[in-house]
Structure formats: C-alpha cells, structure tokens
Amino acid sequence: MKALAASSIAEYERAVESLHEYTRTVELALSVCLRDSCPIERLAAKPRPSDLRGVVIFGSDQGLVGRFNESLMEFAASALLALPGQITRVWVVGERMRELVESSKLPSPTALPVPHSVDAISPLVSQIVIGLGSAGAHGERGEVYLFNNQPTTDAGYGPHLKRLLPLDALWQKDLIALRWPGKVLPQVLGSTATALEALIGEHLFILMFQACAQSLASENASRLAAMQRAEDNIAKILEDLNRTFHRIRQQSIDEELFDVVSGYESLTQSPR
C-alpha cells in the first residue's frame, strides 16, 4: 500500500507537469483574443456583494487520510465566511467531503466521484466546466472559488484557495504583454467573443485539472504518512510486547530457580 501510494504521487505530479506546454499554448491564444477585444474590465470586474458565488471543493472518497477533508473544509468555511455575497452552487468531489459540506451551512452540493487514475481526471473536470458554463448561461454565475489540498515542500500538504472567475485583471495584462514566438502575428477567424469564451473554458479546465491532480497527490501523501505512522505504532507495540514477554519469561525463570533452590535447601537441612 505504501509503494502504491508513492507511485500514485509521482504519477499525479507528472500529470501536472505535462500540462505546461498546453498551458502556454492556451495563454498565447488568449493573449491574441485579449488584444483584439480588450475585455479586461468586463471579465475582471469585481462582482458586487449581492452577486452570486459558486464553490468547487476537491476532497476524497476513501479513508486512512487523516484530517485531509476536515482541515480543507475548515479552511473553506473560514475563507467563505469572510467573503460577501450568497453561495448558490457548490460542486464537491468526494463522498467524505460531501458529508462535511452537507453538515455545514453551505447549499446542497452537486456530488461527483473522485477519479482514481490520471485518465479519469479529464471527464470529471469537463463535467464541472460544463456546469459552470450552464450556470453562467442562466445568469447564476458570479464569483467562482476553488478549494483543494496541494503538496508542500516538506512532503506534506496544505489547503489552497484559487478564484477562478472573474479573471484576474493583472493576469490579463500580463497575457496581453506576452510576446508571440513567431514573426507573423495570428488573427482570430470568426467571432473573437466566441473564441475567447472557448479559451476561457480551456483555461478553467487547466486550473481544475491541476487542482484535481494536486488533490489526489496530497491524498496519497496523507495516506502514505498515515500508513507510516501506523507502521511506526506497530513497531512500537511489538517492541513493548517483546519487552513485556521477556520480563514475564524472566520472572517465570526466576520463580522456577527460587523453587529449585528452596527445595535443595530443604533437602540438605533435613536429617538423614
């Protein structure tokens, strides 16, 4: 189980690294669309306090992960409490996280299963992106926040918050300033708004794919740490049991020796 958890961590980390080239491609395409339409004010405007909010939380289905779900839920509840507005949509990945969300003050969530392989991440994330697009089409989408656990440098993990929507204005300005790698600047064929909407969907897909893979890596890191603690506890218990066994055994031997000595002394002191 420890070897499987360690192998899974490496697999999910490679999945995150594999997105770098595709992320760069999407950012270059976004920079072209943003230069043509300049929608920074519309896409990055801060919603009013009365606007609606959506929340995406990545948890776990299985146990033996310590406080993986509880610590993330506490972090999310504290962060959302400090934000104005009303939460109307919640997407939760993981049965154990769903139970925590339902016991909190958040709305009833849309529960999704945890993917158990890299290949299963894309369908899950696509389903969430479609859900976000559907909410926006019905005028229900305002701010959207993403909560997940991320691996840390000390081989542990910690909760993380990311605002998915609206897009960050500073990030958009950095995209516009990107230098196109070729000599000829590309042009957008068709509607720039349609292309921009599609690219924003791809940008959200990348962010949530990374968050999901990081969450799965953190879950396996937590499981690996839990199994290591269990192994250490077993070793300590075995050591205590062996020490107790040797003490009882030595006590039994001492009692037998005392009986032999006492019997010998009784025989030698008695008259012939």
Side-chain angles (χ1 to χ4, degrees), residues 30-31 34 38-45 166-178 196 200:
L30 276 170
S31 69
L34 291 173
C38 296
I40 293 179
E41 292 77 10
R42 178 174 63 85
L43 294 177
L167 300 181
D168 183 72
L170 181 60
W171 174 76
Q172 292 187 67
K173 291 179 180 178
D174 291 340
L175 284 184
I176 293 176
L178 279 179
L196 184 61
I200 290 175

Side-chain angles (χ1 to χ4, degrees), residues 66-168:
R67 299 191 74 253
F68 180 86
N69 296 289
E70 289 79 4
S71 60
L72 180 60
M73 186 63 214
E74 293 170 0
F75 174 79
S78 177
L80 292 173
L81 186 62
L83 296 173
Q86 177 186 1
I87 300 175
T88 57
R89 294 292 303 271
V90 179
W91 290 269
V92 173
V93 178
E95 182 64 24
R96 293 180 180 269
M97 182 59 73
R98 180 192 64 80
E99 295 174 355
L100 293 175
V101 170
E102 287 185 344
S103 62
S104 68
K105 297 181 180 179
L106 295 176
S108 180
T110 300
L112 301 169
V114 175
H116 297 294
S117 66
V118 173
D119 294 336
I121 296 178
S122 293
L124 169 72
V125 173
S126 298
Q127 187 175 353
I128 300 176
V129 172
I130 292 173
L132 291 174
S134 176
H138 291 85
E140 299 177 359
R141 187 177 68 187
E143 289 182 328
V144 179
Y145 291 91
L146 172 66
F147 294 92
N148 69 296
N149 283 311
Q150 288 188 357
T152 56
T153 55
D154 58 352
Y157 64 91
H160 181 262
L161 164 63
K162 174 73 174 180
R163 193 185 78 174
L164 297 177
L165 294 172
L167 300 181
D168 183 72

Side-chain angles (χ1 to χ4, degrees), residues 4 7-8 36 96 157 180 207 213 220 241:
L4 180 61
S7 175
S8 298
D36 288 349
R96 293 180 180 269
Y157 64 91
W180 186 259
L207 292 179
N220 281 276
L241 288 174

